[in-house]
Amino acid sequence: MTQETLKTDGARLTLFWDGPEWDARPTAALGDIAFTSHEAGADVLTRAVEKVKDAGLTRVIGPMAGDTWHSYRFVSESDGSPAFLMEPKEMPQARAVFHAAGFSPVGQYFSARQSLAEIGAPPPESEGFRIETWGGSDPEGLFRQVFELSCQAFEKNAFYKAIPAEKFLAMYMPIVPMLKKELIFFARTPEGELAGFLFAIPDYAQGPQSDTVILKTYASLVRGAGRALVHACQSSAKALGYKTLIHALIHDANQSAERSEKEGGKIFRRYDLLGLKLDD
């Protein structure tokens, strides 16, 4: 059994027994959380933590639906603006329950807005890579490439856990009808090998005429490719008539955080991943 759902009259959560490692130790993750009251949430959370203890594990994190490929993080600060597409939901009551149980932040993240009215000059051209757009065909092939490079680029990130390609495709293939090929970019070496990618999508949470693009994910294996990919996205989004670019769900310590600040990103939401050590 890799997961177990616990329920009470007013609360539910799923205990994922094979969460990503923390402190190089086996860790349980708590996700798919729904609390209708503090009391009900505290009761089901206590039951979950006791199960983790009984199983001999000393680390538990949440909210996380098993791994960082799926939904995770609590909203910790906000300017009150509506959630964007694929953003974690605000759950202040559940977050308070976790804090009361002794959980504290083990990972901190933010989202920022950048105006596309003025974007910086393009970075110098490089002989190490070229930037190209997605042609719009073979979306499964697109996401297989994104998955393979993501595994290489993110494997050293905190709480990284490998998943099968088929699980990744099951998450992303349903959004194919919403994609705009003009907002998806690759960096390739002179030999044609994939060296980076950028995946952005209109914020359809605003409606079909959204004026905002979400820079969902980008990664590179070659120095300078990330900056070039971001500039290509900014330029294309502006040319398409979009006004705002969201730098989405960036870890505070990631190099992308520094890039967001340099690009004029203004933080409007912060998020926490919480953890509890049971052997302290």
Side-chain angles (χ1 to χ4, degrees):
M1 179 176 62
T2 59
Q3 65 188 68
E4 179 179 356
T5 298
L6 307 181
K7 296 181 180 179
T8 66
D9 287 342
R12 183 192 75 243
L13 63 75
T14 298
L15 200 167
F16 296 86
W17 290 105
D18 57 346
E21 287 190 349
W22 175 23
D23 290 343
R25 299 188 186 187
T27 301
L30 305 178
D32 299 336
I33 295 163
F35 298 168
T36 60
S37 71
H38 189 102
E39 293 74 16
D43 178 47
V44 77
L45 181 58
T46 297
R47 288 171 53 194
V49 171
E50 288 299 321
K51 281 181 170 287
V52 173
K53 287 181 180 178
D54 292 344
L57 300 180
T58 60
R59 300 289 186 273
V60 56
I61 55 177
M64 180 184 286
D67 51 60
T68 56
W69 301 93
H70 293 82
S71 177
Y72 72 107
R73 297 170 282 214
F74 281 125
V75 174
S76 57
E77 296 178 28
S78 177
D79 67 350
S81 58
F84 56 83
L85 186 71
M86 297 185 283
E87 184 181 14
K89 296 179 180 178
E90 292 201 38
M91 296 189 289
Q93 185 176 72
R95 180 171 174 267
V97 169
F98 271 68
H99 276 289
F103 284 75
S104 59
V106 295
Q108 296 178 300
Y109 312 79
F110 70 87
S111 293
R113 293 190 191 92
Q114 175 197 354
S115 170
L116 293 172
E118 295 184 12
I119 58 178
E125 292 188 8
S126 171
E127 295 182 357
F129 61 86
R130 66 179 186 275
I131 302 298
E132 62 182 41
T133 57
W134 176 45
S137 61
D138 188 17
E140 182 173 327
L142 161 72
F143 280 113
R144 284 192 182 276
Q145 291 183 76
V146 167
F147 172 74
E148 290 167 6
L149 191 135
S150 295
C151 291
Q152 296 179 65
F154 301 146
E155 65 179 352
K156 294 183 180 179
N157 287 2
F159 306 108
Y160 174 84
K161 177 188 168 186
I163 64 169
E166 299 311 316
K167 289 187 69 174
F168 179 84
L169 293 174
M171 287 189 291
Y172 281 96
M173 290 305 291
I175 71 170
V176 166
M178 297 189 288
L179 299 181
K180 281 187 176 291
K181 62 182 181 180
E182 299 91 345
L183 297 174
I184 298 172
F185 297 88
F186 295 120
R188 295 194 182 277
T189 67
E191 295 75 31
E193 295 182 2
L194 188 63
F197 75 89
L198 183 148
F199 167 49
I201 188 170
D203 183 14
Y204 291 115
Q206 288 187 359
Q209 303 304 316
S210 171
D211 66 356
T212 298
V213 166
I214 304 163
L215 201 172
K216 181 67 175 67
T217 308
Y218 74 101
S220 67
L221 304 177
V222 176
R223 184 176 178 84
R227 181 183 175 193
L229 287 162
V230 170
H231 184 81
C233 177
Q234 292 168 337
S235 300
S236 183
K238 182 177 180 179
L240 290 168
Y242 293 98
K243 306 299 184 185
T244 302
L245 182 68
I246 291 177
H247 307 163
L249 303 169
I250 296 172
H251 194 289
D252 282 4
N254 195 296
Q255 187 176 0
S256 301
E258 181 180 348
R259 171 56 48 196
S260 175
E261 183 178 4
K262 288 182 177 178
E263 297 291 345
K266 305 297 183 185
I267 295 174
F268 65 94
R269 207 106 69 215
R270 292 188 180 274
Y271 318 84
D272 287 338
L273 176 65
L274 304 181
L276 179 65
K277 297 181 178 182
L278 302 177
D279 55 354
D280 283 352

